[in-house]
Every structure is written in structure tokens, then in C-alpha cells.
Amino acid sequence: MSEPKKDSFAGSVMKYSVATYLGFIISGAALIIKGILPAESYAVPATFMAYTMSLMNVGMLGLDQSLLRFYHEPPQGVTGRRMFTACTRLSVLVMAVVGCAGTLFFAKPLATAFGLGENGVQLVPLLFLNAALYMLVRYINILLRLENNVRAYTTETLWMQACLNLIYLLPGFVTHDARAFVLGAVLSFAGVAAVYWRKAMKAIPAQSKEKHGLKVDMAIYRVTVPYGIVLAPAAILIPLYRSVCLSFLGIYGTAAEQGGFDFAYTLAQLVTTIQAGFSTYWGPYVYANYRTEQERIGRIHDLLNFLIFGFFCLLVMFEDIIFIIFPAKAACKPYFPLMMLSVVFSILCEGTVYGNTIARKPFHDTIGTALGVAANIAVCAAAVPKFGAMGAAVALVAANAVMFLYRTVTGQYYYRTIPSFSRTICGFALAVIAAAAGVVFAQHFLLKFAAIGLILFIYCNIYRAQLLKLWQIGMGFLRKILRRG
């Protein structure tokens, strides 16, 4: 009897990328709903959900990354399932302590700092509860992935994304009370956690019930906690880039500005879906081949730069179409190019920062992220009171730019992936100029189109070798399709 055929690496990647690409539909639906609803109606709920992500990572303590790393190499005499249970238990305990302390002693200052509006004090306990439920859903998601339960992993991932981005918006069609949005978020996460926790527990292997007790837990924590704690700060800080901007707008701006900024942020983030499949493949490839394929890794970096910068220019050139579709959000148009530029900096980290982890110095990534948050807070404090959402957009660009520059400089010091620094710097400069042109000529379509078209022409000239390579790749695919047809 022949052995079952094993999936190829590419096939496995595609299976686990299905949820990512279907998630694009969920994000698109959320964007449409935000485009229909008045911006002020979901301003506070969007801020609530933004802080849910950071607080969830406080409870996690980086143990989600520890579980990914050690599930198949647990301490002696311990199963991966036992490790999952121990990590979940500790995270729930941490979240309970933090949530009780925050609710009992710091509810008012947290509500003010987070920009949760008039009823913010009432929302603080629900914020911690929502973060705890999201944390459970995240743990189950990791377990399903580690146990190769593709169908359950995919469906649970989609439900998780729907809870985080879409379902909480639905009460907006019948009420504008922020408490209704928040309650929708909490109930949706609770439903997903209950259903998939039950499914996961049904599949417990017999051997996972062998060892219990505090001694076993401590053996697990000696391995997982030191590893996770190092990675936890970056996971906590990254969601703050958006959250800080929304908080300052909640304090110094109007609810309409706060909601409009979140709409623009959601729209800009749709671009990252294109990168998600690439990231799934690229990280393992770099770690496996960085010693022997440095030249190829550099070529891929240049191709990624060209694609992202070119796509960015085209989006800024034709952004008016988006705001024709959503005329109520036209106030976002002057600063939307800046939102896109911040996403460009975030995406380009994918090709420049692997040197830090290759050199086993991940603390540089944490430092870079922390510097980004500091820049975000400083620029928000200076610019949001005077310039509102435009100031928040500048702060978001500053945060991502500082993070990108620090992590790129340190990453390139340990492992070079940029073949030509001069070409890359020119590309960055042109992207900044394109964003500035988009802001200055926001209300003059023809002038903006001409200016950015000229920038794109210069850019294509600088990256003409990469343009030719992409043309050859595209023609190769076309010839294969025609031959099959």
C-alpha cells in the first residue's frame, strides 16, 4: 500500500494562508460599514478595540510565542498540551490581577488616558474582560495551528478577525451608544471562546492527562516565561501606534475626527493583506538560507521595495475614487497619503530587519518599537491639539519611520539585505515627497496626478532593472497560462 502523499511546503503555506486572504473580505466589509456609519458613532468603540489588543498582550506575557517555540520541544515528561494548559492558566491569572487592579483603582485615569468618552469608567472593566476573552481565543488559535487542525484553525481565525474588526460595528445600525458596540464585542469573543475551547478540549490526547500539579507547571514556566518576557514588550507596544493617536484625538479632537482617523487607518491597513502571504514564506526562507543566498535575498528586497513604493504611488494618485465612494469620509483625504506612508514603513521592515534575529539580538526590535511609541506620543502631544487628525497622521508616520530606521540600521549591521543603499535611500525620499504632494494637492486632482506621476517615472528609472525583472516574471506566467489553455 502506497504512503499518503505529503503536502509540499508551498501547499502547506497556502493552506494556512486561506484564513488571511479570506480575512481581507472581513476587513473590506468592516471598511464599508465604517464608511456608511457616522464617524462619531464608532469612534470610542474603535479605540476600545485598539486597546483590547495591547491589553491582551499584557496578559499573554509573550507566552503565545513561547508556546509556538516549545510546543514540540517541551520540558522532559511534559506534553505540548500540558504546556498549553499551563501557559493559558498563568495568562488568565495575570489578566485577572491586572483587570481587577485597573478597574478598582485606576478606572478613571485609564478611561481618560484611553480616550473612552463620557461613559469611559463604565467601559474599563469590559475592556479588561474583552482582552481576556480575546486572549483565550488567541491561545486556542495557536493550539489548533500547532495540532495541524487546518479546518478548525481557518474557521476560528475568521471568527476571531470578525470579532476584532466587524461584529462590534453591527449595533451601529440601530444605536450610537458606545456601550452597545462594546457589549457586542464582548459577547462575540465570549461565543467564539466557548465554542472553540470545547472543540479543542474534545481532542485532548490520552497522554496529555499524565502529569499535573504545581511542580509540572513550574518546570514549564522556567522554560516559557524567560523566553516570552523578552518578546512581550514589542507585542504590547506595536498596537499602541494606533491606540495613542485615537486617545489624543479623543481628548483634544472631536468624535468625528477620531472615527474618521480610524476609517483611514483601516483603509490603509488593507494593503498589508498583500504582504501577509509573503511574510508567511519569507521569514522561514531567510532563516534557512541566509548563509548561502544573501545575493538572492538582496534581490528580493529590491523587488519588494519597487512593488510597495510603486503601489503606494498609484494609491495616492487614485485615492479620490475611494472618497467618491465614501463622500462622508472626505475629511480623511488630506492626510490619507500619510497613513499610507506609515504602512509602507511597516511593510518594508519585512526586508530589512532579519539581521537582529539572525544575530540573536531581538532586543533591538523591542527598542525600535519603544522608540516609535515615544515618537508617537511626543508628536501627538505637540501636533494633535493644533492640527487634529492631520497631527495624528504625522505622529503615526513618525512612529513607524523611527521604528523602521532603528530596526533597519541595526538589522543591516548584523546582516545586509540592501544591495544598494543609495538606491534605497532615493526610493524612501521619493515616497516621502509623494506623500507630501498628496497632502499639499489633496484638493487638486490633476496637479496631484501629474506630480506623483512624475515621481513614479523617476522611481521606475531608478529601479529599471527590477521593473524589467517583474516584466519577465509576468510574461513567464502569462505564457504558462496560455500553454495550459
Side-chain angles (χ1 to χ4, degrees), residues 27 71 244 296 340 347 375 378 381:
S27 298
Y71 184 85
V244 167
R296 186 184 186 195
M340 284 299 309
I347 292 175

Side-chain angles (χ1 to χ4, degrees), residues 283-352:
Y285 179 86
V286 171
Y287 294 135
N289 299 283
Y290 70 91
R291 291 186 180 88
T292 57
E293 296 286 349
Q294 187 171 15
E295 185 178 347
R296 186 184 186 195
I297 290 169
R299 290 199 304 270
I300 298 298
H301 162 81
D302 270 351
L303 285 173
L304 179 66
N305 270 18
F306 176 71
L307 282 170
I308 295 301
F309 283 144
F311 189 51
F312 164 71
C313 288
L314 290 172
L315 279 174
V316 177
M317 288 172 73
F318 295 102
E319 65 174 345
D320 295 68
I321 297 172
I322 298 167
F323 297 105
I324 290 172
I325 298 172
F326 300 111
K329 301 299 185 292
C332 305
K333 186 164 69 170
Y335 61 83
F336 182 67
L338 297 177
M339 307 290 280
M340 284 299 309
L341 182 61
S342 70
V343 173
V344 167
F345 283 127
S346 178
I347 292 175
L348 289 178
C349 283
E350 192 63 42
T352 63

Side-chain angles (χ1 to χ4, degrees), residues 119-440:
N119 298 312
V121 174
Q122 300 174 28
L123 300 183
V124 169
L126 292 173
L127 177 59
F128 284 107
L129 176 59
N130 202 47
L133 291 169
Y134 180 27
M135 182 180 70
L136 285 177
V137 171
R138 166 71 177 153
Y139 265 123
I140 297 166
N141 187 256
I142 293 170
L143 179 67
L144 294 172
R145 169 65 186 90
L146 290 168
E147 295 187 345
N148 294 316
N149 191 338
V150 180
R151 180 177 296 180
Y153 168 81
T154 301
T155 56
E156 201 252 12
T157 300
L158 291 173
W159 274 111
M160 181 171 66
Q161 291 180 10
C163 292
L164 193 61
N165 299 312
L166 178 63
I167 295 174
Y168 80 95
L169 294 170
L170 299 181
F173 290 107
V174 294
T175 179
H176 292 169
D177 190 336
R179 290 169 293 188
F181 289 83
V182 166
L183 188 60
V186 172
L187 291 176
S188 63
F189 271 122
V192 176
V195 170
Y196 283 91
W197 182 271
R198 185 179 178 186
K199 284 188 177 182
M201 293 304 102
K202 277 184 177 179
I204 297 178
Q207 64 267 27
S208 68
K209 300 179 181 178
E210 289 177 356
K211 289 195 174 185
H212 297 277
L214 182 61
K215 187 175 180 181
V216 176
D217 283 351
M218 294 308 297
I220 293 169
Y221 297 147
R222 280 194 291 270
V223 173
T224 57
V225 172
Y227 183 88
I229 287 293
V230 175
L231 299 173
I236 295 168
L237 291 171
I238 286 175
L240 289 179
Y241 285 24
R242 170 194 179 194
S243 306
V244 167
C245 293
L246 290 171
S247 290
F248 272 91
L249 285 171
I251 296 168
Y252 296 104
T254 65
E257 283 184 305
Q258 194 179 13
F261 182 89
D262 184 71
F263 171 84
Y265 182 89
T266 304
L267 179 60
Q269 287 296 313
L270 287 179
V271 181
T272 60
T273 306
I274 299 170
Q275 171 222 5
F278 173 81
S279 300
T280 301
Y281 165 78
W282 188 239
Y285 179 86
V286 171
Y287 294 135
N289 299 283
Y290 70 91
R291 291 186 180 88
T292 57
E293 296 286 349
Q294 187 171 15
E295 185 178 347
R296 186 184 186 195
I297 290 169
R299 290 199 304 270
I300 298 298
H301 162 81
D302 270 351
L303 285 173
L304 179 66
N305 270 18
F306 176 71
L307 282 170
I308 295 301
F309 283 144
F311 189 51
F312 164 71
C313 288
L314 290 172
L315 279 174
V316 177
M317 288 172 73
F318 295 102
E319 65 174 345
D320 295 68
I321 297 172
I322 298 167
F323 297 105
I324 290 172
I325 298 172
F326 300 111
K329 301 299 185 292
C332 305
K333 186 164 69 170
Y335 61 83
F336 182 67
L338 297 177
M339 307 290 280
M340 284 299 309
L341 182 61
S342 70
V343 173
V344 167
F345 283 127
S346 178
I347 292 175
L348 289 178
C349 283
E350 192 63 42
T352 63
V353 304
Y354 281 103
N356 291 329
T357 47
I358 287 172
R360 299 185 181 183
K361 298 184 183 294
F363 60 85
H364 279 304
D365 292 337
T366 300
I367 292 172
T369 305
L371 289 173
V373 172
N376 196 0
I377 293 172
V379 177
C380 275
V384 172
K386 287 185 177 181
F387 304 107
M390 178 64 77
V394 172
L396 190 64
V397 172
N400 279 282
V402 168
M403 176 190 69
F404 171 76
L405 289 172
Y406 181 88
R407 293 177 65 190
T408 295
V409 169
T410 54
Q412 293 300 302
Y413 175 80
Y414 294 114
Y415 184 78
R416 181 169 175 174
T417 61
I418 300 177
S420 171
F421 287 117
S422 60
R423 181 168 60 236
T424 301
I425 291 170
C426 285
F428 293 159
L430 288 171
V432 172
I433 294 169
V439 172
V440 173

